Amino acid sequence: MLSLDDERWSSLNGGYRVPFDPRPLLRKLEAGTDVRAVWDGLWRGLHHQGDVGEASYAAVPHLVRIHRQRGVVDWNTYAIVATIELARGRGTNPEVPASLRQGYQEAIDQLAETGLRELPHAEGQEAIRSILAMLAIWKGARTYGQVLSSFSEDELLQL
């Protein structure tokens, strides 16, 4: 995991293919400060129209760590990690750099295991869908994870 004190953050690209340093937002999320606005900033900075970058991958272990520390079933964590993972290596998106790969994969595993524990207590369709999407991706059912990530129940019923 890339330390939040590491200066390499400032040179990592986010979803817009330009440098994006999510550390201030991650610190606010960890402190529980203005959580809704923080999530908005993380979503905008780490993913844009299917694009992700190295900052997106570097943020995943911190997002998972913070989620587990907060002890709140927050659909945003599952959804953004699933979105980043589904975008990994697609189109012109890079693969996870070797220096981040182990921490990234461990975070995916930890979030899925957390999802198994949190699913029985999850409330609301977004939380349930996001956890199920993450579990599907974790187990290698990426297409099911994509469907769960992309469509609400109402949207699926209209297909």
Side-chain angles (χ1 to χ4, degrees):
M1 177 177 355
L2 191 60
S3 166
L4 291 179
D5 296 325
D6 195 310
E7 287 306 313
R8 287 180 286 176
W9 282 98
S10 59
S11 65
L12 299 178
N13 286 341
Y16 282 92
R17 307 262 190 240
V18 296
F20 173 71
D21 187 346
R23 290 179 296 177
L25 294 169
L26 292 169
R27 287 183 176 114
K28 284 183 178 181
L29 183 63
E30 189 166 19
T33 306
D34 204 9
V35 173
R36 179 172 273 172
V38 167
W39 275 117
D40 183 54
L42 288 168
W43 275 104
R44 283 187 288 113
L46 297 175
H47 178 263
H48 177 69
Q49 297 181 349
D51 293 338
V52 296
E54 295 85 3
S56 310
Y57 303 136
V60 165
H62 291 284
L63 291 167
V64 173
R65 175 184 59 77
I66 292 165
H67 179 88
R68 292 174 61 153
Q69 285 175 351
R70 289 182 66 216
V72 175
V73 181
D74 190 333
W75 69 270
N76 281 289
T77 307
Y78 293 99
I80 200 167
V81 172
T83 298
I84 291 167
E85 173 56 14
L86 287 168
R88 177 181 53 84
R90 283 183 113 178
T92 58
N93 291 332
E95 283 293 337
V96 179
S99 62
L100 302 174
R101 197 169 297 136
Q102 181 178 348
Y104 179 84
Q105 188 56 55
E106 287 173 0
I108 297 286
D109 294 343
Q110 290 171 357
L111 186 60
E113 290 164 4
T114 301
L116 289 171
R117 288 191 304 277
E118 291 185 344
L119 185 58
H121 311 289
E123 295 181 11
Q125 293 300 311
E126 285 180 323
I128 294 165
R129 252 183 346 125
S130 299
I131 293 170
L132 290 173
M134 192 67 238
L135 292 173
I137 294 163
W138 179 57
K139 293 305 287 181
R142 293 176 73 84
T143 302
Y144 292 116
Q146 180 72 54
V147 169
L148 286 161
S149 292
S150 300
F151 299 100
S152 70
E153 189 172 350
D154 289 341
E155 290 170 324
L156 284 173
L157 290 172
Q158 291 176 10
L159 293 178

